Amino acid sequence: VYYKKFFVLQGVSGSGKSTIIDILTDLMPRRYVTSLSLDKFNGEFGMATLCGKALVVNTELANKEISENNIAKLKEATGGDTLTSNVKYKEPVTFQNRSSIIFATNHTFRMETTDQGLLNRACVIPFTSSIPQHMQRDRMELMRMLQGERLAIVFKALHAFVLLKNRQYQFAGNLQLMFTVRDAEGDASV
C-alpha cells in the first residue's frame, strides 16, 4: 500500500529510534530494504536505489537544513509519479517508487525554504524520552527476543497505522512537533 508520506522518527538520543528501524528492517527480506542518506537522493544514481525496494531508511538525518534540491527529490520520491534515474554502468530505469521512507534524527527537521507540499507529506513521530542506560538491552539480544514476536508486532503496527491514517497522520494528544522553516526574509519559525 502506498501513501504520499515519509516518516521522521525525531527526538532525544537513546529513545529507541534506531531500534525501531532495526525491527522494521528485520521484518522483511533484506533485498527489499536499503539505506540512503537524504543527500544521496540528489545524486546521479540516488533515485535508482529506490527501485524495487519496500523500505528506505536513514538512521542519522544530518543536523542541517534540507536544501531546495533535496526537498525536490524527496517530493519526487514520495509523490507517486513515474521516476527515471541513471544506473551506474547500465541503462536508466523508469519506475514508480512504492517504498516507505523513514528517517531518524536527534535534531529538528529543518528546510532552507518553506515547502508546504513536503510538510504535508512528513509524518513526524516524536521520541521524547530516553531509555535509562541501566534499562537498555544489548541490541542483538533484543532482536533475538523479538524474533518470536514478529507476527504480533506486525499486527499491532498495522492496527496503529490504520488509526494514524484515519487521523490524517496526526498523533493524538498534545505534542509539539519540531519543524523549523524559514520565511522569505530568512527568519526561522516553528
Side-chain angles (χ1 to χ4, degrees), residues 36-184:
L36 187 66
S37 72
L38 190 53
D39 287 335
K40 294 212 171 143
F41 271 85
N42 203 26
E44 182 180 358
F45 309 113
M47 295 298 257
T49 307
L50 307 177
C51 186
K53 301 301 181 189
L55 182 63
V56 178
V57 298
N58 179 315
T59 58
E60 295 297 332
L61 190 60
N63 184 17
K64 64 179 185 178
E65 291 181 341
I66 298 170
S67 71
E68 288 187 46
N69 287 339
N70 287 345
I71 289 170
K73 286 295 186 179
L74 188 52
K75 284 175 66 177
E76 282 180 39
T78 57
D81 301 326
T82 300
L83 305 173
T84 300
S85 179
N86 289 328
V87 180
K88 201 170 194 176
Y89 308 119
K90 295 183 181 178
E91 293 295 314
V93 292
T94 300
F95 65 99
Q96 282 188 302
N97 179 41
R98 296 292 186 225
S99 60
S100 295
I101 300 172
I102 304 174
F103 298 105
T105 183
N106 297 339
H107 312 289
T108 302
F109 184 82
R110 300 177 294 152
M111 295 182 282
E112 280 182 352
T113 58
T114 302
D115 190 297
Q116 194 59 49
L118 187 67
L119 288 174
N120 291 342
R121 293 176 190 181
C123 181
V124 178
I125 302 172
F127 283 69
T128 57
S129 299
S130 288
I131 298 167
Q133 188 71 35
H134 71 278
M135 294 179 68
Q136 293 181 14
R137 292 187 182 265
D138 174 72
R139 190 171 286 178
M140 295 306 289
E141 175 190 347
L142 179 61
M143 297 308 287
R144 278 191 300 274
M145 289 174 54
L146 293 174
Q147 280 294 324
E149 301 294 329
R150 290 174 73 163
L151 188 57
I153 292 168
V154 170
F155 178 78
K156 287 200 172 268
L158 289 173
H159 178 71
F161 176 75
V162 168
L163 294 175
L164 182 63
K165 181 177 176 274
N166 289 342
R167 288 191 305 267
Q168 282 74 46
Y169 298 94
Q170 299 298 312
F171 283 91
N174 186 16
L175 297 174
Q176 172 79 29
L177 300 183
M178 300 178 286
F179 275 110
T180 302
V181 293
R182 301 220 176 261
D183 60 21

